[in-house]
Amino acid sequence: MADWQSWKKEAAYVGGAWIGADSGKTIDVTNPATGDVLGTVPACGAAETKRAIDAAAEAFDGLAGMGLMDRVGLLWKLHDALMDNQAALAELLTVEMGKPLAEAMGEIAIGAQYVRWFAEEARRAKGEIVPAGVNGRRILVTKHPVGVVGMITPWNFPSSMLARKLAPALAVGCPVVAKPATATPYSGLAWAALAEEVGFASGAVNVLTGSARDIAGAMMDDFRVRKVTFTGSTEVGKELIRQSADTVKKVSMELGGNAPFLVFDDADLDKAVEGAMVSKYRNSGQTCVCANRIYVQAGVHDAFVEKLVEKTRALKVGDGREDGVEQGPLIDMDAVEKVEELLNDAKAKGAEVACGGARHSNGGSFFEPTVLTGATPEMAFAKEEIFGPLAPVFRFETEDEGIAMANDTVFGLASYAYTSDLGRAFRLNQGLAYGMIGINSGLITTVEAPFGGVKESGLGKEGGSQGLEDYLETKYVCIDGI
Ligand code: NAP
């Protein structure tokens, strides 16, 4: 079985070939836990991207036109190749990104599940026959692959964020031109190696590393790229939506979050704390669905904080490859500074540090898991994504107040609430302006469900049947004279 080093591809993959940048320039990739340079990747730009789009456009007819079960068979093989190499791919992910190995194993596994799910869903990409309004006519509605798809993904889930895009695209016959985040390119390049290994034709999957502006710019300018799917910050997402207008591309945008986590007086407190721990601290707080604001109803506030602090103190921080580590480093020093800035702002406005509150003694980009009490809407994290292991606790009195505070943001990705009142659960479903709502669950991502946000958290869905629909165009045929 190959080890993680052999999955570390120090080249881009374009038109079925592993290439360097035209300029010969490279970019260093480092391990955030140690600061060691792991290797390099090519600093590609617009010219290499144009060649990748040429290759993808050429591959389109072959990929879209092959027998459905042949394409599905390739996805089954892709699933198996991922799972056969799960440990090596997970280690590669941990060394470039920092998350604990157990989380990286989970990320590879859910990526494989997305591949399997979309292979299944592609077999159900059904059209419709709609009753015609007049005799002698038939109305057919049919589904077709959208065409070449450009994909841009972030560093926090370097493997599974691509899985959710690659799998539906390939399942319906759309060739791919992907650009993973510069901090974590190897898990993205591994998808190219896997696609090559299982037999996708050249041009079906292309993966480029290098300048985000140049690569994305070339994708956005090219009419042949009919869809762009992006996961990342709202700021960049807005820019891409603007750029998509010139060639009227379909866009899917998985953008930032600011998840509220509500705990009501009638909640099972131990379960609520367990949910808060997983929702807040997974990936050291660096997920778009991490609890960003924890709202606790007055009657259970103090008891909840006590339990949360106890569990937070017990978290083991360290190199993700070490046994039992639950919290890795943050991605880089900018991330540490951002967390410190939010912490200092909150302290200046009256918040109290209940535990943590400083850089970790491990040095580098490690930060202590931190609980803050006395959080208020005036503090910066009430409006901004923290993206780090900082858990601010707000107090609220009534259900209406809790919902209003939770909705007081431009974001609308994930939200969570703990309650034992069934009626309240339905009122929350109605009242929370979020694309995803976890009732009595802090971990809600699953392949069967449509993952995605509302408001400034994005457009479109990944997963579920909706996640396939985003890669399809609908045509209508009117047959007259029957
Ligand atoms: P980011 O700065 O927006 O980067 C994401 C991707 O966009 C990277 O590949 C990056 O390339 C590229 N990029 C940067 N500037 C660009 C530009 N001007 N034009 C085109 N592409 C550009 O976000 P991040 O800091 O990596 O990721 C964290 C953000 O992602 C958070 O806001 C988080 O909430 C969000 N996220 C959302 C979801 C979701 O499903 N909704 C999931 C995960 C993360 P470089 O790496 O080369 O800069």
Side-chain angles (χ1 to χ4, degrees), residues 52-333:
I53 298 169
D54 292 345
E58 208 162 299
F60 178 56
D61 285 347
L63 188 64
M66 72 196 288
L68 172 62
M69 289 314 292
D70 293 334
R71 216 164 47 233
V72 166
L74 285 175
L75 287 168
W76 286 344
K77 283 191 194 164
L78 193 56
H79 167 274
D80 292 349
L82 269 159
M83 291 314 289
D84 289 348
N85 294 284
Q86 185 187 13
L89 292 168
E91 194 165 354
L92 178 72
L93 205 168
T94 290
V95 296
E96 69 172 347
M97 193 272 143
K99 69 177 59 177
L101 209 43
E103 288 189 28
M105 289 287 282
E107 182 172 340
I108 301 300
I110 197 166
Q113 284 178 39
Y114 276 111
V115 171
R116 190 161 60 183
W117 171 260
F118 283 115
E120 291 161 356
E121 280 300 289
R123 301 172 71 184
R124 294 188 273 273
K126 292 180 252 179
E128 285 178 286
I129 299 176
V130 182
V134 291
N135 285 342
R137 271 192 172 190
R138 294 289 182 275
I139 295 174
L140 270 59
V141 179
T142 56
K143 301 285 176 178
H144 305 267
V146 65
V148 174
V149 181
M151 306 183 170
I152 303 166
T153 50
W155 49 263
N156 62 344
F157 288 91
S159 183
S160 66
M161 290 298 111
L162 257 180
R164 304 202 304 202
K165 301 178 188 303
L166 271 162
L170 294 173
V172 299
C174 298
V176 168
V177 178
K179 192 213 88 69
T182 299
T184 57
Y186 293 132
S187 297
L189 289 164
W191 279 102
L194 287 158
E196 181 181 49
E197 184 179 303
V198 304
F200 276 97
S202 75
V205 175
N206 304 273
V207 181
L208 295 144
T209 53
S211 157
R213 264 190 194 284
D214 294 351
I215 295 171
M219 287 181 192
M220 300 312 291
D221 285 348
D222 200 310
F223 176 79
R224 295 169 300 170
V225 176
R226 294 315 308 144
K227 175 184 170 78
V228 164
T229 169
F230 171 74
T231 300
S233 60
T234 295
E235 191 191 349
V236 172
K238 285 181 180 177
E239 185 60 36
L240 293 173
I241 293 170
R242 280 185 208 106
Q243 291 173 12
S244 72
D246 284 343
T247 52
V248 192
K249 294 186 201 311
K250 214 173 157 92
V251 291
S252 291
M253 294 283 150
E254 294 288 348
L255 309 178
N258 179 4
F261 188 103
L262 294 146
V263 182
F264 289 92
D265 283 347
D266 57 14
D268 177 328
L269 221 50
D270 289 327
K271 285 230 162 69
V273 172
E274 210 178 286
M277 291 299 294
V278 69
S279 167
K280 175 71 250 179
Y281 295 117
R282 191 160 65 104
N283 208 9
S284 300
Q286 303 171 110
T287 88
C288 53
V289 292
C290 271
N292 205 62
R293 299 166 287 148
I294 301 178
Y295 295 105
V296 188
Q297 205 165 9
V300 291
H301 176 276
D302 294 354
F304 176 88
V305 168
E306 194 180 317
K307 285 171 188 278
L308 184 69
V309 167
E310 189 189 324
K311 287 213 179 286
T312 299
R313 280 208 177 105
L315 286 171
K316 184 170 173 195
V317 180
D319 185 326
R321 284 202 285 179
E322 282 167 23
D323 253 5
V325 162
E326 297 161 292
Q327 292 282 284
L330 299 192
I331 188 71
D332 55 26
M333 292 313 291

Side-chain angles (χ1 to χ4, degrees), residues 32-34 317-318 328-330 333 336 359-368:
T34 60
V317 180
L330 299 192
M333 292 313 291
V336 172
R359 294 185 187 198
H360 193 273
S361 56
N362 283 356
S365 60
F366 287 94
F367 200 87
E368 291 177 349

